[in-house]
Amino acid sequence: MRATRGAARAYILAVALGAALCVLPALRPGAGTPWSTLGLLAGLYLVCELPGRCPFFGSSVPIGAGSFFPLLLAAAFLLPPPAAALVAIPGSLAGRVEKPPAVARRIWRAGQLPVTVWAASSVHTLLDGPAALGSPGHDRLPDLPYALLPACAAASVFSLVLTALDGSILAAAEQLPLRRAWRGLLPRSLGPHLVHGLAGLMMAILWNSSYGALAALFVLLPMYISCWVFAQYHREHAAHRATIRALVQAVDIKDTYTRGHSERVGHASVLIAQELGMAQERIEVLRFAGILHDVGKLGVPTRVLRKDGPLTPEERRVIELHPEYGHEIVRGIGFLGEARAAILHHHERLDGSGYPYGLTGRRIPEFARVVAVADAFDAMTSTRSYRPGRPVPVAVEELKRCAGTQFDPQMVRALARGLERHGWSGAVTADDVPPPRRGGAGHAEDARAGREPLRPQSAEGLDSDVPPLPSSSGPDPDRTR
């Protein structure tokens, strides 16, 4: 607890006290608590949580109480609110904790989950949900479909309370505004929690049937398998993000001058894709393409990337190999899909004057045409140490001027619409890193435009993809510096 911020520590203790007040009525003499049902559900929840701490299973089991929310919701449907809240405590205290401080996190879960289950059970009771479940045996059958109403209401309250507490502890621990801490939590969790509520309702109905608790336990096996598959999917997705992050960090370390450029190109690519109406799966892959478009710089000698002064023709040819280097680097990463073609072809031009293969028009992959526009836009609007970034409207006009020859007009129009709808903010610029040494190939661009550079440019400009300036005849700056 000492490692936790004071505000977070106080909030955790307040929620734990609230949990104690929730369960206290069930512990009073004469409360009529159904201890057999409570004990069985609490023990079952505890048993479900323990494999996460077993070295034999390692990380192959679902981690955290969220994997077994249907069991907690079944308790909320079967038991009075104070008794239902008690079910969550043993598993919360014994469950696996991934990050420190472990004690604070256990206390937090042991407070948060009982309060959440108590709230869900109270709503279920208020809507006469226990009567709608029927009674043990066949004395009274479940009142379907009415039983769905209190169950869904209870699951909704479960989701609302859980996300409210999650956002609040995040705000207290990280000192974030509540609005920002809560943003997106409920929309992301409400759907899954409603599904958990339906699974919990199925378990509760079976529990009250003539088959009893044993039949209800069979619901756990498919539920656990589905949770395991879902957890594996999220681990795989997290591994994908970690792979992308590692590659981007490697590029940033080698060519620190354009730090943040990759992320911004990914963001601009997403803006274009959304305006084009791409499916969400393709948008995610396109974001990867934008982020990794410069990964081929890892194959370019550092002395060339950071060279002071003009480049020789041989060094220029080395620079122009970076799309092929990038394609080779990511060739074996299966989840990138279409992104690999974008990495290889994002320097192609519609008129066939690009590289590495001089493709024309629609022969250039769609993702590559998107990334080319996003790359050029960020290069123009980013502030460098040798020049200020261009205003967004000026950059868009320049893209429109080059549409049809260098850029796909459809992609340029999509970016313009996306910028009008969402705006643009370059969160990271090259000014966040130390300025380069004096000299450098970047003087060529400013000289071509008839301007005096604010500061000398490093060899970063070799891959900036800035479209031709109005005073030029239109060649790619990568080919003229």
Side-chain angles (χ1 to χ4, degrees), residues 12 26 75 94 113 153 178 213 215 221 266 275 284 294 318 451 458:
I12 290 171
L113 288 177
L178 278 175
L221 181 59
E275 292 300 320
E284 181 69 4
D294 274 344
V318 170
R451 295 181 295 164
S458 78

Side-chain angles (χ1 to χ4, degrees), residues 246-256 262 294-298:
L247 288 171
V248 171
Q249 287 175 345
V251 173
D252 286 347
I253 289 172
K254 185 159 189 175
D255 190 12
T256 56
S262 298
D294 274 344
V295 71
K297 285 183 177 180
L298 294 175

Side-chain angles (χ1 to χ4, degrees), residues 1-4 12-13 92-93 97 99-110:
M1 291 284 286
R2 292 180 181 177
T4 311
I12 290 171
L13 294 177
S92 301
L93 291 172
V97 175
K99 300 177 181 178
V103 173
R105 290 180 182 274
R106 290 188 200 282
I107 295 175
W108 167 249
R109 285 202 315 189

